[in-house]
Structure formats: structure tokens, C-alpha cells
Amino acid sequence: MALTIGVDVGGSHVSSAAVNNESFKIVKGTYFSGLVDNKSPKEIIFSKWAEVINKTIEKCDYNENIEIAFSMPGPFEYETGRAMFEGNDKFEALYNVSIPEEFSKYITSQNVKFRFLNDASSFGIGSILMNGLDKYEQKVVAITLGTGFGASFLDNVLPLTSGENIPDNGCLWDKIFENGIADEYFSTRWFIKKYEEYSKIQITDGVKEIANKNDEFSKKVFEDFASNFSDFLFPFLDVFETNTLVIGGNIAKCSDQFLPKVLEVWKDKNSKIEIVILENTDKSSIIGASYMFNDSFWEKIKGTLADF
């Protein structure tokens, strides 16, 4: 059984698992996750990553070279594997560090091959493979709603970053919306800010806490979010001629609070877009990243890896 180790690097965690390259499923018993302080020195960050990844390797009984595929947030040079985190308050100790050169010494095997993919693209690819959408000619938009607003536009599994019907860099977080950019409206901090503004009550546990309150203020916040979400996102989906929208991230776990209104608005626009809620965001990203070691897919994508 051919395996690839997929790794999802988040702002406060790292997860890894072995993925069956034929079934696109995580091998039972190989998934591990751990917390990482993104403000730690380089050696601490690498040690935490390795602690999790080496647990996966130990479960795989490798007799040959190890393939490790990273789902990595930007800014990052995805083709070379060089981290460019600077001025964005995360992993700044890794600025200008070549992950293949410097992290390999932390791995328990000396024969390691690395590949890197943007985290939003990894989630998008993984969501397609997990839901069997790769069996059809599909245009998929996959978004993550959490600490930030990630997005990827995919045509037949291939993430796109340019084209007449694609937003600049295939991203949505930096696009103008109302009095700011989208990331300020479709993230956890917006929910906290709006709830505290309406209720004058401080929130300590994010969107889940707001949803559990189920009071007049939380209902108002989710109504506002649904209105903003439908207004902002639909034009991009429409221009792309989207077949399926996949929503992941922590906010997706509260989709019952906002999705019905979104669907109602889009129904009036005669939208036929299928919506899939995917709560296992990190596992989807692990599977999506591992797909880079699919030979035919790699030939298509290797020359398009963006640096952002």
C-alpha cells in the first residue's frame, strides 16, 4: 500500500497522518495532533512539528523513502519550501528558513522528500477527494471560516490562482467588502466584536459560545453574518459557474445558525449550487496536501505553485 504523510500546519497546532494514495483515506491509527506556539523559536517549532510527524512515521513501517506533504499557510514559497513569515504575527522565527534543508534533521528517517501546498488549496483538494467530487467535472469553491477566511477555486481538482473568472491569486480574504476587507467580516473576531457590541457581554470562547447563548444578540449576529456572507460570496460563485461550495473551519460547525438564510437568499437568485459542510478541516487538508504525490496531478500543478 503506497502511503504519503500529510501534515496540516495551523496557527496553533500541527496534525499529521498517513494517507492511502489510492483510496485517499487516512490510515487508521496514524493521525496525531499537537499544540504549537507560533511565537516560539525555530528549534521549538520544529521540535513540536517533529514530535507529531514522527509518531505517524512510527506507525507506518516504512522500508523506503518517506514522502511528506505540507498544507502550509502563507506567506510561503511553495515551490522551494522557504518560509516567508514576516510581519504577520505567526512563525516569524521561520522567516527565510528552508524547511526541506533545516527541518529534515528532526525527522526519524534520513530519506525524506517534501512538497508544500497552500493550506486553502489543500483543504479544497481534500474536500473534493473526501466527497467523491473528483469523479465528475466539477467547479468547486472551498472556503474555511475560522481565525481567518481562506478560499480556493478548483476546476477538476486543480486549484486556480488566475483567470478572468478567478479573483486575484484565487483568494478572497483580501477583497474589499463594506468598510474593510473580507477577512474582517468572515472570521471569529468579527463574531466576537459584533456580539460584544450588541450585548455588552465579553466573549471568551469564540463562535461556539455565541451560538450556545441562543439569545436575541446571538441571533442578530448570525443574521448579520448570513446577510454579509450571501452578498459578498455569491457574485464570485456565480462568475466562476460554481457547482459545489464546501464550507469548513470552526464557524462551519455552527452552520445551522446562518446557512438557512443564505440558502433562502440564493434560492431567490435561482442558484443551483450544492453546499457541503465539512467539519474535519485539518483531515481534509492532510488528504489534499498528500495528493501532491499523485504523479499526474503533480505534473499539472508543479508549475503553478504560487508564492503568497
Side-chain angles (χ1 to χ4, degrees):
M1 178 171 59
L3 303 176
T4 294
I5 293 177
V7 179
D8 178 47
V9 174
S12 59
H13 81 283
V14 62
S15 302
S16 74
V19 179
N20 184 317
N21 293 343
E22 296 178 0
S23 67
F24 312 125
K25 291 184 178 180
I26 289 176
V27 178
K28 186 176 180 180
T30 67
Y31 174 83
F32 297 94
S33 185
L35 297 176
V36 180
D37 181 357
N38 63 39
K39 295 178 176 57
S40 295
K42 177 181 66 176
E43 293 77 14
I44 300 291
I45 293 171
F46 281 170
S47 294
K48 292 295 184 180
W49 289 1
E51 182 180 331
V52 171
I53 295 169
N54 285 330
K55 287 180 181 178
T56 297
I57 292 174
E58 290 169 9
K59 293 290 184 178
C60 294
D61 190 27
Y62 273 102
N63 294 315
E64 52 187 89
N65 294 347
I66 295 178
E67 299 172 342
I68 301 180
F70 276 84
S71 167
M72 186 74 74
F76 197 88
E77 293 182 356
Y78 293 96
E79 184 174 355
T80 65
R82 186 173 296 276
M84 301 305 292
F85 304 112
E86 183 181 33
N88 59 345
D89 201 34
K90 65 180 179 184
F91 297 124
E92 290 187 292
L94 302 184
Y95 176 69
N96 207 29
V97 170
S98 170
I99 306 301
E101 290 180 11
E102 300 199 34
F103 180 62
S104 58
K105 68 185 72 172
Y106 291 80
I107 299 300
T108 51
S109 172
Q110 297 303 309
N111 301 310
V112 184
K113 187 174 184 178
F114 295 98
R115 286 178 181 168
F116 302 86
L117 188 63
N118 174 265
D119 54 354
S121 296
S122 296
F123 170 72
I125 294 167
S127 69
I128 290 173
L129 298 176
M130 290 176 72
N131 287 280
L133 300 177
D134 57 307
K135 298 177 176 62
Y136 313 96
E137 289 191 3
Q138 283 268 325
K139 286 189 174 182
V140 176
V141 174
I143 64 172
T144 52
L145 301 169
T147 54
F149 180 32
S152 56
F153 290 72
L154 305 104
D155 190 354
N156 292 333
V157 196
L158 189 68
L160 306 175
T161 57
S162 63
E164 292 183 2
N165 58 350
I166 307 294
D168 186 40
N169 284 333
C171 297
L172 291 176
W173 69 272
D174 56 347
K175 303 306 179 279
I176 300 299
F177 183 68
E178 292 196 348
N179 298 318
I181 59 174
D183 201 62
E184 297 169 357
Y185 289 84
F186 307 112
S187 57
T188 299
R189 62 185 180 279
W190 179 88
F191 275 89
I192 294 173
K193 176 183 177 182
K194 294 303 289 187
Y195 185 84
E196 292 181 350
E197 178 183 314
Y198 288 149
S199 69
K200 312 304 179 187
I201 298 172
Q202 188 172 6
I203 293 296
T204 59
D205 195 26
V207 179
K208 181 180 179 181
E209 180 183 354
I210 295 172
N212 288 340
K213 286 183 177 296
N214 196 31
D215 55 21
E216 60 178 305
F217 307 114
S218 65
K219 291 177 181 178
K220 173 62 174 168
V221 170
F222 278 105
E223 285 178 4
D224 288 353
F225 180 81
S227 179
N228 291 338
F229 185 79
S230 57
D231 289 349
F232 172 78
L233 191 58
F234 186 79
F236 293 102
L237 302 180
D238 191 40
V239 169
F240 188 55
E241 299 181 341
T242 306
N243 301 114
T244 303
L245 170 68
V246 181
I247 305 175
N250 287 330
I251 296 174
K253 297 174 182 178
C254 303
S255 61
D256 60 323
Q257 302 284 326
F258 65 85
L259 195 54
K261 182 176 180 179
V262 172
L263 292 173
E264 183 181 328
V265 172
W266 289 358
K267 184 179 180 180
D268 291 340
K269 299 178 183 291
N270 296 316
S271 171
K272 297 181 180 179
I273 300 171
E274 179 184 359
I275 298 180
V276 175
I277 301 298
L278 197 59
E279 295 186 4
N280 291 327
T281 305
D282 64 334
K283 292 185 178 180
S284 177
S285 295
I286 285 171
I287 291 170
S290 75
Y291 199 52
M292 284 190 292
F293 283 96
N294 176 288
D295 292 338
S296 61
F297 179 73
W298 179 245
E299 285 301 313
K300 295 177 183 177
I301 196 175
K302 66 181 182 180
T304 67
L305 295 176
D307 297 334
F308 57 79

